[in-house]
Amino acid sequence: MANKVADSISREEYFYGHKACAGCGGSLAVRAALKVLGKNAVSVLPAGCMSAVGFNFPQLCFSNNSIISTFAGTASMLTGIEAGLRAKGYKDFTAVGFAGDGGTADIGIQALSGAIDRNDNIIYICYDNEAYMNTGIQKSGLTPFGARTTTTPAGANVHGNIRPKKNMFEIVAAHGIPYAATASVGYIGDFIAKVQKASQIQGTKYIHVIAPCPTGWGISVDETVEIAKEVVDSGLWYLAEYENGEYRLTHRPKEFTSAEAYLKRQGRFRHLTEDDIKVITDSRDEKWKFIEKNFIV
Amino acid sequence: MKKFLSGNEAFAEGIRLARPEVISAYPITPQTIVVERLSEMVENGSLKSEYVHVESEHSALSCAMGASAAGARAFTATSSQGLLYMAECLYYASGGRFPIVMMNADRSTALPWNIYGDQRDSLSQLDSGWIQSYAENAQEALDLALMSYRIAEDKRVSTPYMANLDGFVLTHTYEKVDIPTEEQADRFLPAYETDNRIDFDSPKNMAFSAGPETNYIFKYRAHEGMLAASDVIKETEDEFEKIFGRRYTGLTENYLTDDADYIIVTLGSIAGLCRKTADRLREQGIRAGVVRIRYMRPFPNEEIAEALSRVKAYAVLEKDISFGNEGTVFTNVNSAVKKENGKAEGYNFIGGLGGRNISASDIETIFKSIIKGTDRVNFIGIGDGNNG
């Protein structure tokens, strides 16, 4: 059966034989993106799940040129690789980073901001599983409100993480970046299309893809794609682009599915009270008011 | 061509001649003039290089590693807090065998906050796997900038190189410097060739993880690369002399050591004053000598042990302190002496912290106090009634 998305990407495997957990959303994002970018992609991965599972000498899993950067150094190493390859006369290559949520929104944000400021010709992909998963589920700046992690325990006094998710997409866009996008592995065709688009644009490109982690989220290993779809369908995440100074929604749910149902099927949210869920639902509605007002919808 | 240049400017001229393909630049006192001059050279076309305005020292070295992984010759420069801020990347660069060259302007480390010169910054990073040279003057700074790439990039070595210049005393002092021609420099320094790079015909996974079974083999190889640098430094200096006519003496430089009873071992820009003082003591009939350490890594164990094998006592004068123990150079020197069963008494003199001046009379006092014997570790000026 013909599949438009599958037919638009390479059948080669560039990230294969790694040790990621069953149902890993991050590895799905990396695998799909490299199928778009092909053998001349040079990938940079900081400390985090993907480097931990892909680079265990002598079991090295990337069939394109790949390198681990320091935790904070994804963007700065991309900068150096791009400058170095250009200095050596190479033209046909893509420098692409795959950093997790902590590597992007926390420890790596300074270097990312610097690279965008210089408008370095790189693609930066944040695979967001909403906590430090490689170290065993600790809160990051992208952990959503209410989530239970090992450093935001849920008890009688505090119900998990008390802070909302850092808004990386708009933080990045505020730099006036040539291209930024949000995505989810639940809408893999949309993600692939955005990686394809990014690869055609000169300057810095940023894609923020939601990539569930069954281990950290408390879901079954076969629910990854389903839940990554549901987070969009329930309006708790949105698919959008920023380009030429404008925000644009790329997918509009007709009506939201239940946010409560999305939350309740995950172990990390199972403790939430009705009040907590109302906080989450209200903030979703506020966000969508903002989107209606400021995005091209 | 002869010019009147500061140490920073001389070093920048050396880097221009070395033709780095990528420069990652971040300002910090007293290094900043290096990246300023390099930006002017790129602007006026006398240097063709990708000049990257990074947003931190961590990124400066991370960017240089990326460039080196692409097979490009990379340069960056830093000092003090900047060196400490990029410390993580120091270990990464040496482990990755990336022959990056970095200039470090030796400067005190906070707290208390201080911009002046001591050597606590670079000496704190002796174990990071970088070759470490210490220049005495602006001419040597320029020459080391040129030699550094040839040494670091040698396939037997493949180790990053930190060229240290004493902050202000050397970085900001103007001297007459001989600048070689580009044609001479190109004859001396070939283009960077390496297999340790991104390759589109045969892709690589670089900077990987290695578990307990293999990890130490990589570390051992890095150690071997550093040891190999000893010979490569000497070979490089021989080639350098053929083309430029200036002679350097390997890991150390000895002054009046053959018949000396008393020797000061030191490093960097203070060595000249030590030699002048030795001359004056010789006039008084005291057989004084000086060993200047030019490279702290690889460490000149044999050279130091040999130079100190005939003395009655030696002093190690250094601008750092490993709190709770002694000066780091002293520890290293004593180890070298011990390896050869040396019998001389060694004394440590800590001075110049936070840029405090070390005078000729201080050095004379050092010589005289080791003749009669003194405390094992001494802080110059502490307890002399002025302070402390």
Side-chain angles (χ1 to χ4, degrees):
Chain A
M1 198 177 90
N3 180 308
K4 202 158 62 81
V5 174
D7 288 344
S8 76
I9 56 176
S10 170
R11 290 186 176 272
E12 294 290 321
E13 294 296 345
Y14 296 100
F15 182 43
Y16 187 78
H18 54 73
K19 299 181 175 183
C21 310
C24 171
S27 62
L28 185 59
V30 172
R31 181 180 166 220
L34 287 176
K35 280 173 169 282
V36 173
L37 301 173
K39 68 178 171 53
N40 283 358
V42 179
S43 34
V44 173
L45 298 98
C49 288
M50 290 310 106
S51 62
V53 304
F55 283 95
N56 291 291
F57 180 82
Q59 189 184 345
L60 302 168
C61 304
F62 287 87
S63 55
N64 61 306
N65 286 291
S66 293
I67 186 166
I68 306 183
S69 73
T70 57
F71 205 177
T74 316
S76 49
M77 188 167 260
L78 282 168
T79 295
I81 285 172
E82 195 278 334
L85 288 173
R86 200 157 27 82
K88 298 307 279 181
Y90 291 98
K91 291 191 171 60
D92 181 26
F93 67 90
T94 308
V96 58
F98 297 102
D101 44 285
T104 301
D106 295 346
I107 197 170
I109 196 169
Q110 172 174 280
L112 172 60
S113 176
I116 303 168
D117 176 44
R118 291 183 295 270
N119 201 23
D120 294 328
N121 191 26
I122 61 174
I123 301 176
Y124 187 110
I125 296 175
C126 169
Y127 64 94
D128 180 3
N129 51 28
E130 302 195 319
Y132 290 92
M133 296 309 185
N134 187 42
T135 42
I137 323 163
Q138 293 79 27
K139 179 211 176 297
S140 81
L142 293 176
T143 302
F145 172 85
R148 175 206 299 263
T149 70
T150 58
T151 52
T152 52
N157 298 316
V158 187
H159 304 170
N161 180 30
I162 60 169
R163 296 291 304 152
K165 203 174 163 71
K166 201 189 275 195
N167 188 342
M168 276 309 296
F169 174 54
E170 286 170 43
I171 289 168
V172 163
H175 290 70
I177 191 171
Y179 181 77
T182 59
S184 166
V185 295
Y187 284 89
I188 200 81
D190 172 84
F191 171 60
I192 284 167
K194 284 167 176 170
V195 177
Q196 283 166 334
K197 186 169 178 177
S199 70
Q200 302 302 313
I201 294 170
Q202 185 68 28
T204 316
K205 290 78 62 175
Y206 176 87
I207 300 174
H208 192 116
V209 57
I210 295 289
C213 165
T215 316
W217 288 23
I219 54 172
S220 295
V221 297
D222 59 358
E223 288 182 298
T224 302
V225 171
E226 205 178 299
I227 205 124
K229 194 169 174 301
E230 195 173 348
V231 71
V232 175
D233 296 346
S234 63
L236 292 170
W237 186 246
Y238 55 92
L239 305 182
E241 286 177 327
Y242 170 87
E243 207 180 356
N244 305 319
E246 290 178 323
Y247 292 96
R248 178 190 305 275
L249 207 58
T250 58
H251 172 87
R252 194 183 177 119
K254 284 196 179 62
E255 57 180 47
F256 297 144
T257 59
S258 160
E260 181 170 6
Y262 166 80
L263 296 165
K264 284 295 187 192
R265 66 187 289 190
Q266 301 175 53
R268 63 177 175 156
F269 291 125
R270 207 148 287 151
H271 61 277
L272 293 182
T273 64
E274 273 178 38
D275 287 350
D276 295 330
I277 291 167
K278 189 175 180 316
V279 169
I280 293 169
T281 315
D282 287 352
S283 74
R284 173 196 67 184
D285 297 342
E286 278 303 306
K287 181 75 209 181
W288 278 89
K289 275 189 205 146
F290 178 87
I291 289 171
E292 297 287 354
K293 190 159 160 258
N294 296 289
F295 286 30
I296 299 166
V297 292
Chain B
M1 182 174 48
K2 291 198 166 40
K3 270 192 169 176
F4 195 54
L5 296 175
S6 69
N8 273 337
E9 290 172 334
F11 198 89
E13 289 291 342
I15 293 299
R16 174 180 61 80
L17 292 167
R19 303 185 193 275
E21 291 151 299
V22 177
I23 296 166
S24 46
Y26 195 76
I28 183 167
T29 302
Q31 165 278 119
T32 311
I33 289 154
V34 177
V35 294
E36 287 176 352
R37 290 296 170 273
L38 290 169
S39 74
E40 290 158 11
M41 292 165 183
V42 171
E43 185 280 327
N44 68 28
S46 60
L47 171 60
K48 191 175 175 300
S49 187
E50 294 294 328
Y51 187 96
V52 186
H53 301 87
V54 287
E55 72 298 328
S56 78
E57 288 93 355
H58 189 283
S59 286
L61 196 44
S62 176
C63 173
M65 291 194 285
S68 190
R73 182 173 287 165
F75 176 74
T76 190
T78 191
S79 176
S80 179
Q81 306 302 120
L83 183 71
L84 300 183
Y85 193 57
M86 63 166 63
E88 172 193 20
C89 297
L90 294 173
Y91 295 75
Y92 217 84
S94 60
R97 310 301 296 275
F98 297 125
I100 297 156
V101 170
M102 174 164 71
M103 192 201 99
N104 179 62
D106 273 306
R107 170 186 145 180
S108 184
T109 46
L111 281 171
W113 207 246
N114 178 294
I115 59 165
Y116 299 101
D118 66 36
Q119 291 159 340
R120 285 185 19 85
D121 54 357
S122 55
L123 290 171
S124 78
Q125 298 305 318
L126 278 184
D127 299 342
S128 63
W130 284 56
I131 295 166
Q132 282 202 16
S133 68
Y134 288 80
E136 184 182 344
N137 55 48
Q139 184 68 62
E140 188 179 21
L142 185 150
D143 294 347
L144 284 171
L146 257 179
M147 281 191 266
S148 61
Y149 281 105
R150 200 174 146 141
I151 296 159
E153 292 170 359
D154 189 293
K155 284 193 167 48
R156 292 164 289 175
V157 179
S158 293
T159 297
Y161 187 113
M162 187 191 300
N164 292 289
L165 275 67
D166 282 324
F168 289 109
V169 175
L170 180 45
T171 60
H172 284 59
T173 301
Y174 279 76
E175 300 171 69
K176 188 175 72 173
V177 177
D178 184 40
I179 305 173
T181 64
E182 289 183 1
E183 181 274 326
Q184 283 175 305
D186 292 346
R187 256 195 303 145
F188 171 72
L189 180 64
Y192 177 40
E193 295 285 341
T194 181
D195 301 326
N196 184 26
R197 60 175 296 182
I198 289 160
D199 182 342
F200 292 108
D201 298 325
S202 172
K204 277 198 188 67
N205 287 209
M206 301 174 78
F208 41 71
S209 306
E213 285 308 308
T214 55
N215 194 287
Y216 84 114
I217 299 167
F218 289 102
K219 295 286 189 288
Y220 182 71
R221 295 227 173 116
H223 179 59
E224 284 184 314
M226 181 72 91
L227 292 176
S230 293
D231 290 336
V232 173
I233 286 164
K234 292 172 189 111
E235 289 169 26
T236 302
E237 288 172 352
D238 289 344
E239 288 302 309
F240 188 87
E241 188 182 11
K242 280 180 203 157
I243 295 172
F244 305 99
R246 285 187 290 280
R247 173 98 200 108
Y248 290 99
T249 55
L251 304 185
T252 58
E253 182 187 65
N254 293 345
Y255 184 72
L256 306 180
T257 54
D258 288 351
D259 66 340
D261 293 323
Y262 303 99
I263 282 179
I264 285 187
V265 182
T266 192
L267 65 171
S269 57
I270 196 72
L273 199 57
C274 293
R275 288 196 299 269
K276 284 248 181 315
T277 310
D279 287 340
R280 212 169 37 247
L281 289 170
R282 290 245 167 195
E283 288 165 16
Q284 298 168 27
I286 299 164
R287 288 193 299 205
V290 180
V291 173
R292 176 167 74 95
I293 297 175
R294 296 185 63 241
Y295 282 88
M296 274 300 290
R297 287 291 179 274
F299 192 68
N301 280 294
E302 289 159 25
E303 292 87 342
I304 285 173
E306 198 287 323
L308 300 180
S309 62
R310 296 172 295 277
V311 299
K312 293 176 180 162
Y314 61 89
V316 175
L317 169 61
E318 56 187 306
K319 300 176 180 175
D320 75 293
I321 171 69
S322 180
F323 298 123
N325 187 24
E326 60 196 13
T328 296
V329 184
F330 188 55
T331 307
N332 280 260
V333 168
N334 289 343
S335 170
V337 171
K338 176 87 177 146
K339 282 181 191 117
E340 299 294 328
N341 297 314
K343 297 284 179 278
E345 286 294 329
Y347 302 96
N348 195 193
F349 291 84
I350 311 292
L353 298 185
R356 186 176 165 131
N357 187 45
I358 301 172
S359 68
S361 76
D362 288 333
I363 295 167
E364 190 163 335
T365 303
I366 291 170
F367 271 119
K368 293 201 164 154
S369 62
I370 69 168
I371 292 169
K372 61 180 199 295
T374 179
D375 294 342
R376 186 66 61 188
V377 180
N378 305 271
F379 282 76
I380 298 169
I382 294 275
D384 64 2
N386 296 324
N387 50 38

